[in-house]
Amino acid sequence: MSVKSAAAKLFAKNIYKKTQAWASNPVGSQQAVFKSLIKEAKKTEFGIDHHFDQIKTFEDFAKQVPIRDYEDLKPYVEKVVKGEENILWKGKPLYFAKTSGTTSGAKYIPLTKESMPYHIEAARNAILHYIHETGKADFVDGKMIFLQGSPVLEEKHGIQFGRLSGIVAHFIPKYLQKNRMPSWETNCIEDWETKIDAIVDETINENMTVISGIPSWVQMYFERLHQKGGKNIGEIFKNFNLFIYGGVNYEPYRAKFENLIGRKVDSIELFPASEGFFAYQDSQKEKGMLLLLNAGIFYEFVKSDEFYSDKPRRYTIGEVELGVNYVLIISTNAGLWGYNIGDTVQFTSLKPYRIIVSGRIKHYISAFGEHVIAKEVESALQEAVEGTSARVNEFTVAPQITPVSGLPYHEWFIEFENEPDDLVAFAEAIDNAMRKQNMYYDDLIIGNILQKVVITKVTKNGFQDYMKSIGKLGGQNKIPRLSDNRNIADLLSKA
């Protein structure tokens, strides 16, 4: 065992103990965060407008601060972008993470000196929990790659603007700098395909032990490595045994990854976003990710089936239940208040509080009242693939409301690496799995409102071509698993 790996184990033990302290007092941890946020923001413009000086309890807060999305918060954000101080949080933010908006173009999410450290600590602590539980630490002596956006930033009014992953690249701890890949120069390449090829050239002869990124883009990296090296990834990187990912569910990709790698590797799931780092997988044995309750974020939860009602109830951490689909609402030390990030979660454990990301509140199918969410389509596909030779590269689902003939249906656009031997049986397996999970969908099939799932095959690299056509190839961009409209479906149909 090297000195570095021995030190990592000692550090991991210390962090584990600290985590246990706040995780064992979840309500108290959240109350402390809540009081701190209100106190620090009392004299901001937002705090004055919403009478923070009168807020003593969460009930007071819920009365004074409505749930908002980016559009609702935008008037305040625009003032901060222009360089005004003490608007949403004291002073000015250090950074604005620039993300893609659906209705307003670019979105600018603030990162402050108080919020930024938690993004770094959470990613670090996820790895340390893995070391503590498994005892595996030798990987710290090898090379690690983090597929991310360009770290090139733009400054306006004393605030740096860039992609979150690019901003985070400026905070890699010194003890990881020598291990980290790719080079700074390669990381600054904007064109994703050019960047991937450069990363392949830099890493193919290195001792890569940890690889991290969004699964769809890591898959592209693996495929380019395989093309160049003529071997599976496990042979190219003999000591690669840990994959760290976030952004999308890994399960639909797992079979393809294991085929590309040539063996199973451990994985750690993260739940980072520009708005905050919310959770990470703290155990290889338990389902779900540990919700970070002491990291400068106060959480509220609204049941997704009540979200669009006039006055949905807002639940705090001590009131949530297992298995319920909740819209995640946050207030943070970056100046987001009652903010709907758009993600839905379900709790898998209440001791400690662990979650899975179940989808997006705007990414669902309910064209016929079926309320299908991302978790259901991902689980259905995984069930259909099990025990078959089929492997899936990418997929998305959309409703077909006006078919040329027959009943409406859910259309599954799937790019196969290996097609199933019997596509009809495969579609039947997906449909059966959907019916078991979603009683509304089952009722529509039984009632002859919908016909069963229809699969449309997408040509090789069809999803990559689609993302490239809309200028979202690589980085933090992801294909929505499902949609209530056919905007994506129609473009894929023309490919």
Side-chain angles (χ1 to χ4, degrees):
M1 182 187 299
S2 70
V3 173
K4 196 171 185 179
S5 59
K9 286 187 176 183
L10 289 174
F11 192 21
K13 184 177 181 180
N14 181 48
I15 292 299
Y16 174 78
K17 288 181 179 179
K18 289 183 177 180
T19 300
Q20 293 302 106
W22 62 256
S24 63
N25 182 23
V27 173
S29 296
Q30 278 286 273
Q31 286 177 339
V33 170
F34 175 76
K35 290 178 181 178
S36 175
L37 293 177
I38 297 302
K39 179 182 177 182
E40 293 295 327
K42 274 184 181 179
K43 296 182 180 180
T44 64
E45 181 174 316
F46 188 94
I48 293 169
D49 288 349
H50 294 82
H51 309 291
F52 274 24
D53 59 339
Q54 299 174 21
I55 293 176
K56 306 298 181 185
T57 66
F58 167 68
E59 288 72 24
D60 295 337
F61 179 80
K63 289 177 183 176
Q64 301 283 21
V65 181
I67 293 173
R68 284 176 163 88
D69 59 17
Y70 185 80
E71 285 299 305
D72 296 323
L73 201 66
K74 193 174 179 180
Y76 289 99
V77 174
E78 287 179 334
K79 290 183 178 182
V80 187
V81 170
K82 291 176 182 177
E84 295 185 37
E85 298 186 12
N86 303 315
I87 303 300
L88 288 166
W89 190 253
K90 55 188 180 181
K92 292 194 292 189
L94 297 176
Y95 302 94
F96 268 113
K98 186 178 178 180
T99 67
S100 298
T102 54
T103 59
S104 58
K107 292 164 57 178
Y108 298 97
I109 306 299
L111 295 162
T112 63
K113 66 179 182 180
E114 289 82 10
S115 70
M116 195 65 222
Y118 289 112
H119 284 269
I120 311 306
E121 288 177 14
R124 179 202 69 189
N125 290 353
I127 297 174
L128 292 172
H129 273 78
Y130 171 82
I131 292 173
H132 179 77
E133 182 183 54
T134 66
K136 300 175 183 177
D138 290 345
F139 64 84
V140 301
D141 296 312
K143 297 287 187 178
M144 307 177 187
I145 189 167
F146 304 91
L147 293 180
Q148 55 194 188
S150 171
V152 176
L153 305 177
E154 177 186 4
E155 184 172 329
K156 295 178 183 178
H157 307 296
I159 305 170
Q160 300 281 331
F161 289 68
R163 301 173 185 172
L164 175 65
S165 61
I167 293 169
V168 169
H170 290 261
F171 289 84
I172 301 298
K174 288 184 179 179
Y175 60 84
L176 287 181
Q177 289 289 0
K178 291 182 180 180
N179 300 66
R180 176 182 173 271
M181 297 195 81
S183 66
W184 184 266
E185 292 74 20
T186 294
N187 222 9
C188 290
I189 297 172
E190 287 288 350
D191 180 73
W192 185 253
E193 292 185 284
T194 304
K195 183 173 183 173
I196 284 290
D197 287 337
I199 292 173
V200 168
D201 290 339
E202 282 191 2
T203 58
I204 195 166
N205 294 314
E206 297 286 349
N207 177 30
M208 305 303 302
T209 57
V210 178
I211 296 173
S212 175
I214 293 175
S216 52
W217 306 122
V218 174
Q219 178 179 306
M220 186 177 178
Y221 167 57
F222 283 172
E223 288 170 342
R224 298 287 175 93
L225 278 167
H226 179 70
Q227 290 168 10
K228 188 175 181 68
K231 302 175 183 177
N232 63 38
I233 307 308
E235 291 178 277
I236 296 172
F237 302 141
K238 290 182 169 54
N239 296 313
F240 165 49
N241 282 298
L242 181 60
F243 174 50
I244 304 173
Y245 68 95
V248 299
N249 185 0
Y250 179 40
E251 292 310 316
Y253 298 92
R254 190 179 292 274
K256 175 65 184 296
F257 266 56
E258 290 176 358
N259 179 257
L260 282 167
I261 298 166
R263 63 172 183 269
K264 293 184 177 181
V265 299
D266 288 345
S267 60
I268 302 174
E269 183 176 9
L270 310 178
F271 186 10
S274 300
E275 295 86 352
F277 203 124
F278 307 121
Y280 57 72
Q281 183 180 348
D282 66 318
S283 174
Q284 296 289 300
K285 301 172 185 176
E286 303 294 335
K287 183 180 180 182
M289 295 175 285
L290 184 69
L291 187 64
L292 305 182
L293 301 175
N294 74 328
I297 303 170
F298 178 72
Y299 300 97
E300 301 174 59
F301 309 89
V302 177
K303 292 180 179 180
S304 59
D305 58 2
E306 299 176 0
F307 184 71
Y308 290 110
S309 61
D310 289 339
K311 291 185 178 180
R313 181 178 170 185
R314 299 159 69 169
Y315 297 85
T316 55
I317 193 66
E319 303 171 297
V320 296
E321 304 171 64
L322 293 173
V324 176
N325 209 43
Y326 293 103
V327 179
L328 187 62
I329 309 298
I330 61 169
S331 297
T332 78
N333 56 4
L336 302 177
W337 301 102
Y339 189 84
N340 169 24
I341 67 168
D343 286 310
T344 59
V345 301
Q346 293 180 7
F347 284 88
T348 60
S349 166
L350 302 182
K351 290 185 178 182
Y353 284 89
R354 292 194 181 98
I355 59 171
I356 59 170
V357 180
S358 53
R360 298 278 295 171
I361 189 62
K362 292 182 179 179
H363 291 170
Y364 59 89
I365 298 177
S366 198
F368 310 94
E370 61 271 48
H371 308 297
V372 170
I373 61 175
K375 175 179 176 289
E376 292 169 341
V377 298
E378 289 173 339
S379 296
L381 183 62
Q382 184 181 349
E383 187 173 325
V385 166
E386 286 175 0
T388 74
S389 60
R391 288 198 296 272
V392 172
N393 284 342
E394 193 60 271
F395 79 99
T396 192
V397 187
Q400 176 50 272
I401 300 173
T402 56
V404 175
S405 63
L407 295 172
Y409 52 85
H410 284 188
E411 187 171 9
W412 288 59
F413 291 82
I414 303 178
E415 181 184 325
F416 289 102
E417 173 70 17
N418 278 357
E419 288 188 28
D421 295 330
D422 187 338
L423 194 61
V424 173
F426 191 78
E428 183 84 14
I430 289 176
D431 201 77
N432 288 336
M434 286 298 306
R435 294 177 68 177
K436 284 189 293 183
Q437 293 183 92
N438 188 306
M439 64 180 180
Y440 303 110
Y441 180 79
D442 187 48
D443 287 343
L444 291 167
I445 297 292
I446 292 172
N448 288 321
I449 305 299
L450 293 180
Q451 62 173 299
K452 294 180 179 180
V453 159
V454 172
I455 293 177
T456 297
K457 291 187 290 185
V458 176
T459 57
K460 177 73 172 176
N461 297 324
F463 282 95
Q464 287 183 19
D465 292 342
Y466 162 72
M467 293 297 278
K468 189 175 182 178
S469 74
I470 61 171
K472 293 187 177 182
L473 184 65
Q476 296 167 258
N477 301 307
K478 298 158 283 190
I479 293 281
R481 283 290 172 243
L482 71 177
S483 176
D484 214 31
N485 59 58
R486 290 187 60 83
N487 294 343
I488 297 173
D490 289 342
L491 287 172
L492 288 171
S493 297
K494 295 173 184 176

